[in-house]
Structures are given as C-alpha cells and as structure tokens.
Amino acid sequence: VVSCRRMLSVEDCAAIMVGLEAGLSQVCIARSIGRSPSVVCREIARHRGPGGVYQAQDAGRAAQAARRRPKKRLLDRDEVLRRRVISDLSQGRTPRQISGRLSEASLISDTEKETEEQSMTEHYTTNTKIEDVINDPVFGDYGRLIFPVDSGYYSGSTLGNLSLTWYNYIDSDKTVEICNYMRNQAENGHTIFYDIYTEEEKAADPAKRDTGLFFFKGNSGAKFAIVNAGGGFAYVGAMHDSFPHALELSKMGYNAFALIYRPGAQTACEDLSRAIAFISRHTDKLQVDTDGYSLWGGSAGGRMADWVGTYGTEYFGEKAYPHPAAVIVNYTGLSEVTGYEPPTYSAVGTRDGIASWRTMKSRLDTMSEMGIPTEFHSYDGLPHGFGLGTGTIAEGWIDDGVAFWEDQM
C-alpha cells in the first residue's frame, strides 16, 4: 500500500502525461511512479488544459476544464508503437527519453495526433428538473430507467437535491455530469442503452420491460465490468451506486455497464446472468474483451455480484459462461462462505447500520484462509451507501478496487 504523502515532482507529472498519451490506466500510471491511484486521479482532474488534456507544464495552476469523454488513443490503434512505449517504460527510461526516442524514430507525427477528449455540452445543471431528464426525447423510452422506476424511493425535484432511500453522500455534481454524459452520447448517435430481453420475453413478463444495460464505453477491445446498484432489492439506486462507478471505470479505459434489474433477489440475479450472456453474445458489436471481466455492486447489488460470481450464470437460468476474475462487493453483510467465491474486494463504513463491517471482515478472513484472494477496507465513521465516497475518507476506494481486479486478470 502506498502511503507516501510527498508532493508530486516535475518528473512525476511528466510520467503522468506520458502515461496518458500511451493509453495507460490511471492505476498503472500510479504504480509506475509509486503513488496512490487517487493522487494521480486528482492530479489529472486538477490540471487539465483548456482542451481537456493533462499538461505537466501547467500543473502549478488549477485549470477549470470541463469533464470530457476520451477518444481512442493513438497507442490503442498502433500495437507496434504501444509495445515500444511499454518496453521503454519497463526498462526504466524516463518520459523525456521515451519522447525523444519516439521523435527520432518518427513514430508519432503531428498529423496523426488527435484531440484526446470530446467537449461535452452541459445541457443540464443542478437546477434541472429530474422529470425533464426522464422525459428528454433524446433518451426515447429508456429515459424512465435513469432514475428509480418506483418514484417512492427517491425524493427531490432537481438534479441538485436528489435523495435516494438508504444512501448517503450523493454528489450532485456527479449526477449532473452523468446526465450530461448520457445526453451527449445519445445526441451524438452512440448507443448508451441495450435491452437484454427480447420483445417476446417482455410481453410474457412485463416486469422485464424495466430492465437493461446502460453502456459507458471505454477503449475498444478493453475488458468489461458490470456494476449493480443496491436498493434493498426493492429498487435500483443507479444514479448514486452504479452510474458513477461505471463512468469512472470508462475513464480508466474499461468498458462498463450499469444494470437496471427487476426487484427481488432471484429475479435480480437472473437479470445479471442475462446481462453477462448478452454481452458475451455481442462482443463484436460492443467491442469488449470478455476474458477476466469483473462484477461490481453495493448493498443488494453486492450480493448479486457475489451470488452470480460464485454460483455461475447457469444457476440462474442461462447457459454456463466463465466466472468473473473478481467481484467488488461493498457494504453488504454477507456471511456465508462456500469456498467457490471468486477473488473478492470489499469496502464498508464502520457506522453502517445495515451491513456490519465486522461480519464482512470475518467473511473475507475465512475466504483468505481458504486461499481465495481478498482485500478488505473499513472506513471509520462512514454510514451505509457512500457510493464513490467523494469528499469522505473513502474517496479513492475505486482505484483500489480496480487495482485488485487488475491483479486477478
């Protein structure tokens, strides 16, 4: 665990810039400079230039850059160039040396360079009414699934004052960012929602109309994750417990899906199993790598990730598909251990009145004794449902979760 609190050096900033240009994830960059992923994430967010691209030379002043969506990077298109950069990094060459070698070899030309991020128009603000997002024509029929279908589980009329049952620390800025991201993607012709059931299946079971996958696209050909929000198996708190995670995973280059599922433990696991089957059958269309995928979830969503990851899709009505490389199971008080659980990462607050941190720790300790890779984090004073934990002691846990997943790939 990296615990150093020193300020980032000029060399660190240069390494971050080169790593981003090479298409490396923030977790990989953090490892290369010996810092926490959350430090790298904040550094990038604070020092983006007017075009949205991180610039080491401007790291001394905070740039207020709009959040934008990355395009496919040059090194993702050019495997020879990618291998060259990675090889140089592994041999200990500095970012300056690597840039010089690439320039001398004419591997990168100015005409090949493309803008790193698409500007994102801010259609919505914290004052935008939730009903205006739901009814925005750009979303078609699936707009009603962006917020809980059962409106009895949320309160507040605008994006800025949204409240969800059983959740804490809802970040209104993130809510606005997500809604704007979705609208811009949809408006630009990108598919952001997929039905997982056929029209015939939905006609036979109308509850299946309230299901589907929201897609947060990462790099083409990258591995995927499915994120499952909690809600006590009564509703799906996606705007706080899965959409933010999926968006952050996509920024790291991974392809992330946020599942909207039917209430009830059994039907939720059936929907998650169908989602895995759907993605596995449409890898070419979705441009994802199914090897070493991960399942994520908080509260009830964490139970779904664990149960499907442990028992397999065949247990819930689908054909057998490979089990996940890792599951990220947050703030849910599972206690049973079968010995067949996949590698498991868990995080929870010590003041969680729903999920006991002691129960969760004991479970992972038992799994570790069985030889199952685990990682556990408890955060002093935090209650249930902290989501990304922005502004709390838990902020940055998602970087640890990604690092754990990557270790299992």
Side-chain angles (χ1 to χ4, degrees):
V1 178
V2 178
S3 59
C4 180
R5 296 292 182 182
R6 64 178 172 82
M7 294 181 64
L8 290 172
S9 66
V10 174
E11 290 76 14
D12 291 333
C13 294
I16 292 173
M17 184 168 65
V18 170
L20 290 172
E21 290 175 351
L24 301 180
S25 72
Q26 293 177 14
V27 173
C28 290
I29 295 171
R31 286 178 176 174
S32 73
I33 63 174
R35 300 306 303 270
S36 165
S38 60
V39 171
V40 173
C41 181
R42 286 193 292 270
E43 169 68 13
I44 294 170
R46 288 170 181 163
H47 301 302
R48 292 185 185 276
V53 180
Y54 175 78
Q55 297 176 345
Q57 64 269 30
D58 294 334
R61 66 175 184 269
Q64 300 300 318
R67 300 182 185 191
R68 299 174 173 95
R69 182 79 178 135
K71 289 184 179 179
K72 189 176 181 182
R73 304 174 190 276
L74 174 59
L75 269 74
D76 290 323
R77 303 197 313 267
D78 192 329
E79 183 60 29
V80 174
L81 179 58
R82 184 179 182 84
R83 287 199 300 267
R84 175 70 174 275
V85 171
I86 293 174
S87 175
D88 283 350
L89 287 171
S90 66
Q91 293 176 43
R93 291 191 173 93
T94 67
R96 187 180 297 277
Q97 289 172 330
I98 295 172
S99 297
R101 284 164 57 81
L102 294 177
S103 178
E104 291 174 4
S106 298
L107 288 173
I108 301 179
S109 67
D110 291 337
T111 56
E112 283 183 303
K113 292 180 180 178
E114 61 181 345
T115 304
E116 287 292 312
E117 300 184 337
Q118 275 182 318
S119 60
M120 189 167 73
T121 304
E122 294 190 358
H123 297 278
Y124 307 129
T125 69
T126 54
N127 295 321
T128 300
K129 291 183 178 180
I130 292 173
E131 65 180 23
D132 289 343
V133 176
I134 293 173
N135 296 319
D136 194 321
V138 73
F139 296 129
D141 182 59
Y142 63 83
R144 62 192 179 80
L145 301 179
I146 295 175
F147 293 89
V149 174
D150 186 340
S151 60
Y153 288 98
Y154 74 88
S155 60
S157 60
T158 69
L159 300 184
N161 62 15
L162 171 68
S163 179
L164 295 166
T165 303
W166 301 310
Y167 282 109
N168 293 282
Y169 304 111
I170 295 176
D171 182 356
S172 60
D173 289 337
K174 180 61 70 174
T175 300
V176 171
E177 180 188 2
I178 290 164
C179 292
N180 279 316
Y181 164 78
M182 287 181 169
R183 194 187 192 287
N184 279 278
Q185 290 294 301
E187 191 173 51
N188 289 328
H190 302 295
T191 301
I192 66 167
F193 180 82
Y194 290 94
D195 282 307
I196 56 175
Y197 291 108
T198 65
E199 290 302 321
E200 291 75 17
E201 289 173 315
K202 288 186 285 187
D205 182 357
K208 290 180 178 178
R209 296 188 184 280
D210 296 334
T211 67
L213 285 169
F214 282 93
F215 186 27
F216 295 75
K217 186 169 178 57
N219 294 334
S220 295
K223 298 183 186 301
F224 79 89
I226 302 178
V227 190
N228 309 281
F233 291 121
Y235 82 104
V236 183
M239 188 54 74
H240 177 64
D241 210 23
S242 63
F243 290 164
H245 309 55
L247 181 59
E248 293 307 304
L249 288 169
S250 72
K251 291 178 182 178
M252 298 180 192
Y254 293 109
N255 292 295
F257 298 86
L259 176 65
I260 307 299
Y261 55 87
R262 291 170 290 167
Q266 177 66 30
T267 49
C269 289
E270 291 173 3
D271 294 343
L272 177 53
S273 298
R274 171 56 66 93
I276 294 170
F278 175 86
I279 295 168
S280 299
R281 292 197 302 262
H282 297 88
T283 54
D284 290 341
K285 179 180 181 180
L286 298 171
Q287 296 182 314
V288 301
D289 178 4
T290 57
D291 291 335
Y293 71 93
S294 61
L295 299 178
W296 298 58
S299 198
R303 290 177 179 259
M304 294 165 57
D306 177 85
W307 289 334
V308 175
T310 299
Y311 295 104
T313 53
E314 64 273 26
Y315 189 85
F316 298 100
E318 299 295 328
K319 63 175 282 189
Y321 289 93
H323 289 238
V327 293
I328 313 302
V329 181
N330 284 358
Y331 38 80
T332 191
L334 283 171
S335 58
E336 68 271 15
V337 177
T338 67
Y340 296 100
E341 285 79 9
T344 302
Y345 171 100
S346 288
V348 64
T350 60
R351 294 190 65 184
D352 192 318
I354 296 176
S356 166
W357 71 268
R358 292 182 178 87
T359 299
M360 293 179 64
K361 184 178 186 302
S362 176
R363 178 174 186 263
L364 263 65
D365 286 344
T366 301
M367 291 165 58
S368 295
E369 292 171 0
M370 293 179 171
I372 300 171
T374 67
E375 184 173 334
F376 177 78
H377 294 265
S378 60
Y379 298 105
D380 288 342
L382 284 195
H384 189 74
F386 50 76
L388 290 181
T390 304
T392 75
I393 191 175
E395 183 171 355
W397 74 260
I398 191 170
D399 299 318
D400 297 329
V402 169
F404 179 83
W405 173 26
E406 291 179 338
D407 286 342
Q408 316 310 317
M409 292 179 181

